[in-house]
Amino acid sequence: MNRDLYLPSGKSLHKVVVGQSGSGKSVFLESTAKEFLRSNSSESFRMVYFSPKQEGFIQLLPQDKKGRPVGLVGDVDSMLKNMEKQTLTVFYPDPEGLELTMDETINSIFEMKEANPSMKCTLIIDDAQVFLSSRKRASDSMQRLALLGRSREINAVFVSHGLVMSKSLEAQVDKLFFFTLPAKVHWKAGEERYGFNPEPYLEPLRSTPYSFVLFDVRSSKATMMNPINLD
């Protein structure tokens, strides 16, 4: 599952991870990313974790001699500089101009790919609902990521408190990870857009903390998953 979640193949589409605060999605992402990075042998793979709330993934970074994390950045230039040498970059952007920074991040990754054709990159966007919703048009850069990312081997993992309902994204997603189900008012929309009926999984998710539903959009198959093993 980790390889499918994080390694761009040129065939797999983007992923959406849904869950309210405390539901287990952050633990899931950090644990699976840690395991994937540990087993990854490709020198051309890069992972960028973009966190508007400026938290998460710090413990996955190496440290310098003074114990400071190597790869924690706050601007696009620093991100690109770190990506030249390090596999993982953790980006804590300035809250001011957040959407512009997101667009610059996406475009810079595409430009780096053009300069380094062998590069594969996974961009994890936390709080993706800040940038994508049914109420506003996705930016040109976000549409570029959604539509062209697969062919450029740039994979996106959208992490959200609710279903990310953007028309530019819906047809470009092949896996949904539900740690909490969408609000009931969104169930119909979820069925119409992705073919997922959440109702049968309501009680199992409530009764088993940190469990989740893995839904394959292509096959319309839903699988109830046990909480991730942290040992």
Side-chain angles (χ1 to χ4, degrees):
M1 180 176 65
N2 295 355
R3 185 179 179 87
D4 183 50
L5 179 58
Y6 294 117
L7 185 64
S9 66
K11 296 180 181 179
S12 61
L13 299 176
H14 306 302
K15 313 296 187 274
V16 175
V17 179
V18 179
Q20 296 297 322
S21 297
S23 63
K25 64 184 187 300
S26 295
V27 173
F28 167 80
L29 286 167
E30 292 191 21
S31 299
T32 53
K34 180 179 180 180
E35 183 62 30
F36 174 79
L37 292 170
R38 181 184 296 161
S39 62
N40 172 62
S41 60
S42 173
E43 295 183 359
S44 60
F45 174 78
R46 296 292 183 269
M47 178 182 288
V48 178
Y49 174 71
F50 188 96
S51 175
K53 60 179 177 285
Q54 299 188 357
E55 61 183 39
F57 274 63
I58 287 288
Q59 65 271 25
L60 303 188
L61 293 171
Q63 295 182 340
D64 62 17
K65 294 180 179 180
K66 295 184 178 181
R68 296 171 299 193
V70 177
L72 176 62
V73 304
D75 59 78
V76 174
D77 288 342
S78 297
M79 177 194 77
L80 294 173
K81 184 177 180 180
N82 188 72
M83 289 177 69
E84 291 177 359
K85 298 180 180 180
Q86 302 292 332
T87 301
L88 174 63
T89 301
V90 176
F91 195 156
Y92 288 179
D94 189 324
E96 185 174 345
L98 194 56
E99 294 193 34
L100 178 59
T101 303
M102 181 80 267
D103 289 345
E104 290 176 348
T105 298
I106 294 170
N107 291 332
S108 295
I109 291 174
F110 272 88
E111 290 170 7
M112 178 172 274
K113 170 65 177 181
E114 291 173 4
N116 302 274
S118 64
M119 185 186 82
K120 295 183 178 182
C121 182
T122 290
L123 173 60
I124 304 171
I125 304 175
D126 208 346
D127 287 319
Q129 71 277 355
V130 173
F131 311 105
L132 291 164
S133 78
S134 59
R135 297 181 179 181
K136 64 179 181 180
R137 178 183 177 275
S139 70
D140 291 342
S141 299
M142 193 64 75
Q143 291 189 56
R144 183 185 189 188
L145 174 62
L147 298 173
L148 301 179
R150 176 177 64 166
S151 64
R152 305 297 194 275
E153 295 181 306
I154 300 172
N155 181 48
V157 179
F158 299 97
V159 187
S160 175
H161 290 172
L163 271 175
V164 180
M165 296 296 185
S166 172
K167 290 184 178 179
S168 61
L169 173 64
E170 289 161 9
Q172 306 302 321
V173 170
D174 63 4
K175 295 287 193 312
L176 300 169
F177 297 77
F178 289 96
F179 286 80
T180 50
L181 295 178
K184 198 165 185 177
V185 295
H186 296 149
W187 285 10
K188 183 177 180 181
E191 281 195 82
E192 291 175 349
R193 288 167 167 79
Y194 295 113
F196 174 67
N197 176 19
E199 189 166 9
Y201 304 96
L202 184 61
E203 187 53 39
L205 285 176
R206 283 177 175 171
S207 60
T208 308
Y210 292 177
S211 61
F212 62 98
V213 179
L214 171 57
F215 182 71
D216 187 311
V217 178
R218 287 170 164 169
S219 66
S220 297
K221 180 181 178 181
T223 305
M224 189 70 203
M225 306 292 289
N226 293 322
I228 190 167
N229 187 350
L230 300 179
D231 295 337

